[in-house]
Amino acid sequence: MDDEPVDPHSASRIPVLGKIHIRKEDISEEFIRASGPGGQNVNKVSTAVQLRFNLAGNDTLPEDVKSRAARIAGSRLTQHGEIVLQADRFRTRERNREDALERLLDLLRRAMEKPKPRKATKPTLGSKKRRLDAKKQRGQIKKMRGRGASYDD
């Protein structure tokens, strides 16, 4: 039963990754007029979709995933905690709906990846020596620029 493809618009739960899912109630869609080419149709039909996902009100995602998703969303996150995505690449509503939903799921999947912890390292003895030698050489160059510097130092 889990192997069957799930239509995201008919199910009440939309799978994100593994056992984690989002509720369809946390998503709202509004159709707006698309910009750009499209001939006469572009001025008559609202084919672009503006998808809103209530990240702050969602209780199916873990808190660490929500905070990473907020950081990834950046300017697409509103002050009310909603992620707003606009899709108008295609000429049909259905394709734009699928595109917006897939972009939201991609954002949430990226947020589920835990960042690798940074391992603190110490500079090697050789790198310290090279750095100090470069500083001495640079200092010598600057010393030669000074007024009244002699060449026999």
Side-chain angles (χ1 to χ4, degrees), residues 3 9 13 16 28 41 45-46 49 58 77 84 100 126 145 148 152:
D3 295 354
H9 300 294
R13 296 182 337 161
V16 178
S28 64
N41 206 34
V45 183
S46 300
V49 65
N58 181 281
L77 185 71
V84 180
R145 290 183 194 155
D152 49 69

Side-chain angles (χ1 to χ4, degrees), residues 44-59:
K44 296 187 290 185
V45 183
S46 300
T47 55
V49 65
Q50 190 176 58
L51 182 138
R52 292 179 172 270
F53 173 64
N54 187 1
L55 183 65
N58 181 281
D59 58 0

Side-chain angles (χ1 to χ4, degrees), residues 17-122:
L17 189 67
K19 294 181 186 269
I20 297 188
H21 65 278
I22 55 175
R23 290 191 317 264
K24 191 167 182 171
E25 298 87 52
D26 291 336
I27 296 177
S28 64
E29 295 172 336
E30 181 183 349
F31 293 98
I32 55 177
R33 288 196 180 144
S35 62
Q40 296 173 349
N41 206 34
V42 76
N43 297 323
K44 296 187 290 185
V45 183
S46 300
T47 55
V49 65
Q50 190 176 58
L51 182 138
R52 292 179 172 270
F53 173 64
N54 187 1
L55 183 65
N58 181 281
D59 58 0
T60 60
L61 296 174
E63 285 301 317
D64 61 329
V65 173
K66 286 167 68 170
S67 66
R68 284 194 296 269
R71 190 175 64 248
I72 292 170
S75 63
R76 296 174 290 192
L77 185 71
T78 66
Q79 290 180 339
H80 303 293
E82 287 184 325
I83 296 176
V84 180
L85 298 173
Q86 187 167 326
D88 58 0
R89 286 195 304 177
F90 302 102
R91 290 189 181 203
T92 63
R93 280 185 173 191
E94 195 55 40
R95 291 287 307 270
N96 283 328
R97 284 177 83 187
E98 291 169 5
D99 182 41
L101 183 64
E102 192 52 47
R103 285 172 38 205
L104 173 69
L105 293 176
D106 181 54
L107 186 144
L108 294 175
R109 287 182 190 119
R110 283 187 291 150
M112 292 177 74
E113 295 173 7
K114 292 185 178 171
K116 270 178 42 177
R118 183 189 179 281
K119 293 180 182 173
T121 58
K122 292 183 179 177

